[in-house]
Amino acid sequence: MLDQEEISRLLDILGNRNRRRIIDLLRQKPCFVTEISDRLVLSPKVVIEHLAMMEREQIITFNQDERRRKYYFLYNDIKLSVGLERRDDLISLPERSQQAMLRNGLVMLRRLISARENLILNLEQIDRDIDLKIHDMLKYGKDILQNEGDLDLLLALSHYDLTFESLEELTGMSSSELNSTLARLKKNGLVEYQGTTYNLSGIHAE
């Protein structure tokens, strides 16, 4: 049995919608950080922070593939039992008021469903556009990008400005490999270092 402090920490984890979405995704299959980021439309930095928190609580863990990239999966799933108990002292609303509240709720539900449908259509188009841009990167960068690791690094920075440590986590490169790749991409004018993070060159000027 969990003590009160452990239960409170689990409730804190489940209290965040994005952590719940990550758990639901990992129930389906193990995922890399970039997969979670792409599927849930979250920055890799935010995903890493959520994963680190859940890893500390032993909810998730990871294995590494042959390229030393971490893929995460559920180590302990969370099971909660929550119920509602009707109070006997509630004052019933008049039937007309109930009907009005029901109609208003249905109107709002329709608007929300319509908005969701539009968002889904827009996201599908954006996904197609992203695939085309990645194809263009491979086509025009074939003489510059030396390996798959170069592409992984640039795709990671396409999401968000990242620290060296976060790039290690996302790409699975060793420190020496990452230093070498960053130096080469900086020399080619594709990556720059500002403060504590790396970003795509010129992206802040757009």
Side-chain angles (χ1 to χ4, degrees):
M1 290 290 292
L2 299 175
D3 61 31
Q4 191 62 42
E5 185 178 344
E6 290 172 318
I7 291 173
S8 295
R9 291 203 304 270
L10 290 179
L11 289 174
D12 284 343
I13 287 171
L14 292 178
N16 182 280
R17 178 174 177 267
N18 285 329
R19 286 196 284 272
R20 295 196 303 272
R21 293 169 70 208
I22 291 171
I23 290 171
D24 287 341
L25 182 58
L26 294 182
R27 284 193 181 111
Q28 300 172 32
K29 69 181 187 73
C31 291
F32 298 108
V33 172
T34 47
E35 289 180 276
I36 299 171
S37 174
D38 289 342
R39 288 281 298 277
L40 303 185
V41 197
L42 297 170
S43 75
K45 181 181 178 182
V46 169
V47 171
I48 289 170
E49 290 171 353
H50 287 316
L51 292 173
M53 181 179 184
M54 292 190 286
E55 191 179 348
R56 285 195 299 272
E57 297 301 326
Q58 297 185 332
I59 296 169
I60 64 169
T61 188
F62 66 87
N63 283 327
Q64 290 182 298
D65 65 4
E66 67 280 357
R67 294 171 54 197
R68 297 193 298 279
R69 293 182 303 173
K70 295 179 181 178
Y71 59 96
Y72 290 84
F73 58 92
L74 282 184
Y75 182 65
N76 287 303
D77 206 346
I78 300 175
K79 301 292 183 183
L80 288 179
S81 178
V82 179
L84 295 173
E85 184 175 332
R86 183 181 296 277
R87 290 178 52 183
D88 295 330
D89 58 346
L90 289 177
I91 299 173
S92 297
L93 291 171
E95 184 176 347
R96 185 173 296 176
S97 296
Q98 293 180 26
Q99 290 173 346
M101 291 179 67
L102 178 58
R103 281 197 302 273
N104 290 338
L106 289 170
V107 169
M108 182 57 68
L109 178 62
R110 180 168 184 168
R111 289 175 181 169
L112 291 170
I113 290 173
S114 177
R116 184 184 65 177
E117 294 295 328
N118 289 332
L119 283 173
I120 290 172
L121 289 173
N122 288 335
L123 282 174
E124 288 175 350
Q125 181 58 54
I126 290 170
D127 282 340
R128 287 192 289 270
D129 291 343
I130 288 172
D131 288 340
L132 287 172
K133 289 301 177 187
I134 292 174
H135 180 268
D136 287 345
M137 285 174 59
L138 292 171
K139 178 181 177 181
Y140 297 116
K142 60 184 180 181
D143 294 328
I144 299 173
L145 305 180
Q146 292 190 2
N147 51 52
E148 207 172 316
D150 287 6
L151 182 61
D152 285 345
L153 193 149
L154 291 174
L155 288 176
L157 292 177
S158 297
H159 287 79
Y160 207 76
D161 296 352
L162 294 166
T163 63
F164 187 89
E165 292 74 19
S166 296
L167 284 169
E168 278 186 303
E169 173 87 14
L170 284 166
T171 62
M173 295 182 188
S174 66
S175 296
S176 59
E177 285 177 312
L178 184 55
N179 269 320
S180 160
T181 302
L182 286 168
R184 186 172 66 255
L185 294 177
K186 283 165 67 178
K187 184 178 179 181
N188 286 325
L190 297 173
V191 171
E192 60 188 12
Y193 183 72
Q194 291 190 343
T196 59
T197 59
Y198 290 89
N199 56 264
L200 299 179
S201 295
I203 200 166
H204 297 297
E206 295 179 352

